[in-house]
Amino acid sequence: MERQELFALIGVLLCLFFLVRCLGFLKYLFPRAWGALPPSFFKSMGEWAVVTGAGDGIGKAYSFELARRGLNVVMISRTVSKLQIAATEIEESTGQKVKIIQADFTKDDIYADIKNSLEGLEIGILVNNVGMLPNAVPSRFLDGNQNYTGLINCNILSVVKMTRLVLGQMEQRKKGLILNISSGVSSYPCPLYTAYSASKAFVAMFSRALQAEYKSKGIIIQVIMPYGVSTSMTKNPKPNIITKTPDDLVKQSLNYVTFGDQVFGSLAHEVLGRVMKCIPLWVLHNDWLQNKIVESITKRIQKEEKSGQREAT
């Protein structure tokens, strides 16, 4: 009888555990009903938002969306021409101020200039978005001519140093929002993207630990871990139910900023993230699967490049 009671208790606890998990997932299905943010929420963080990697893709989308929500925006990226075009579009469409800063985040000597350019600005939001892949096509660690120093500077050092530049004033004001863009492949050891996934795993752990340190001071620090997003870094795959456009990802992710220290950024990616956790690593680490991934992505990129060449002619 005691053994039966023990098994019954274990069964009840397991049911309660999964019920709580299911209820927790409802907030992603109905984010506005779960905890609707007031229209003034983002603007209340401070006058300015700073976005790295803002020339295109996810960074550009964050710059536009935060300006629509009432913030002036500092856009930081390597290519001045892209920044100027985006800045003009934002100013004309939203009426907000835009400041641009040219910086190559693969370098380590840029932060003094960035600090000087940010002097005197009340920064309420920081989006650490800038990032790079070592190779367009997934490859093994020793294959190809991969710039790992640039990757570490861009994907890891930029997050640490940009956070250091703005966190102090947020702490003084007892409010602020820092969004660090990681990747879904940071949640498990990801072959063929070894250095990239490891760098994004750093971003995830750094963000979650930092939130534990500064949550009591009124600062929200959240890591966003999307899977497929159609950007130039990923060679602009066609958007679908899994592969999101930057605008779609950004609009959904901003609804989740109060949902905890780690989110995947969209409903589809939240579902995919939970599915991926159920797949044994021996499946993901299978040589046959790795070869098929390389083959599939290589064919897609080659097909898109040929299509682009035909359109150009």
Side-chain angles (χ1 to χ4, degrees):
M1 189 65 179
E2 290 181 358
R3 181 176 296 181
Q4 291 177 341
E5 291 175 352
L6 175 62
F7 286 148
L9 177 60
I10 292 173
V12 170
L13 291 175
L14 285 173
C15 289
L16 287 174
F17 172 77
F18 286 111
L19 178 61
V20 170
R21 294 293 294 270
C22 290
L23 289 174
F25 187 73
L26 287 176
K27 63 188 178 184
Y28 297 104
L29 290 171
F30 310 104
R32 297 186 185 280
W34 186 275
L37 297 173
S40 61
F41 174 82
F42 293 96
K43 191 175 180 180
S44 72
M45 295 292 105
E47 186 180 0
W48 289 84
V50 175
V51 183
T52 67
D56 57 15
I58 295 173
K60 181 179 177 181
Y62 269 111
S63 299
F64 265 95
E65 190 60 30
L66 290 171
R68 291 187 189 106
R69 300 189 187 208
L71 287 100
N72 300 321
V73 183
V74 180
M75 304 177 70
I76 310 178
S77 190
R78 178 172 56 185
T79 308
V80 173
S81 59
K82 289 183 178 181
L83 288 174
Q84 290 172 333
I85 293 170
T88 300
E89 292 175 356
I90 292 171
E91 288 178 334
E92 291 179 352
S93 63
T94 68
Q96 297 300 128
K97 299 177 184 177
V98 179
K99 180 181 178 70
I100 64 173
I101 301 174
Q102 191 278 331
D104 181 354
F105 284 99
T106 64
K107 311 297 182 186
D108 186 27
D109 58 356
I110 61 173
Y111 295 96
D113 289 339
I114 293 175
K115 182 179 180 181
N116 291 335
S117 298
L118 298 179
E119 196 71 36
L121 301 183
E122 182 189 67
I123 299 169
I125 299 176
L126 169 65
V127 181
N128 280 312
N129 162 75
V130 69
M132 63 176 286
L133 285 166
N135 271 347
V137 177
S139 58
R140 290 178 170 82
F141 184 69
L142 294 179
D143 295 343
N145 183 22
Q146 304 185 32
N147 179 12
Y148 291 117
T149 300
L151 181 141
I152 291 169
N153 285 340
C154 186
N155 293 7
I156 295 177
L157 199 63
S158 69
V159 177
V160 175
K161 292 205 168 185
M162 288 302 300
T163 301
R164 287 278 293 183
L165 287 181
V166 306
L167 185 57
Q169 62 163 277
M170 290 180 176
E171 183 181 23
Q172 290 177 356
R173 298 197 315 273
K174 299 187 183 303
K175 59 182 177 179
L177 171 64
I178 298 177
L179 301 175
N180 293 329
I181 312 303
S182 178
S183 168
V185 300
S186 71
S187 58
Y188 59 92
C190 186
L192 306 178
Y193 292 100
T194 300
Y196 177 78
S197 66
S199 70
K200 291 301 187 177
F202 172 89
V203 173
M205 291 299 103
F206 174 78
S207 302
R208 294 174 67 186
L210 207 62
Q211 175 65 127
E213 291 182 7
Y214 287 92
K215 184 177 181 179
S216 63
K217 301 180 185 299
I219 300 168
I220 299 172
I221 301 169
Q222 185 183 74
V223 60
I224 302 167
M225 302 166 57
Y227 281 92
V229 184
S230 181
T231 66
S232 59
M233 188 180 79
T234 57
K235 300 299 182 182
N236 300 303
K238 186 177 179 180
N240 53 43
I241 191 171
I242 296 298
T243 302
K244 298 298 178 183
T245 66
D247 288 343
D248 190 21
L249 175 76
V250 166
K251 287 176 181 177
Q252 288 192 55
S253 70
L254 288 176
N255 290 329
Y256 300 164
V257 294
T258 59
F259 284 9
D261 58 10
Q262 176 179 299
V263 297
F264 288 96
S266 72
L267 177 59
H269 292 181
E270 293 291 341
V271 173
L272 180 58
R274 283 159 174 74
V275 171
M276 292 299 293
K277 288 181 180 179
C278 298
I279 300 175
L281 282 180
W282 64 264
V283 174
L284 299 175
H285 292 178
N286 182 275
D287 279 345
W288 178 86
L289 180 61
Q290 292 179 46
N291 293 333
K292 285 296 181 182
I293 290 172
V294 173
E295 180 183 329
S296 174
I297 294 179
T298 300
K299 285 182 178 179
R300 176 180 66 78
I301 291 175
Q302 290 174 345
K303 180 180 179 181
E304 290 172 354
E305 287 177 347
K306 287 180 181 178
S307 176
Q309 289 172 357
R310 286 196 297 270
E311 290 177 2
T313 57

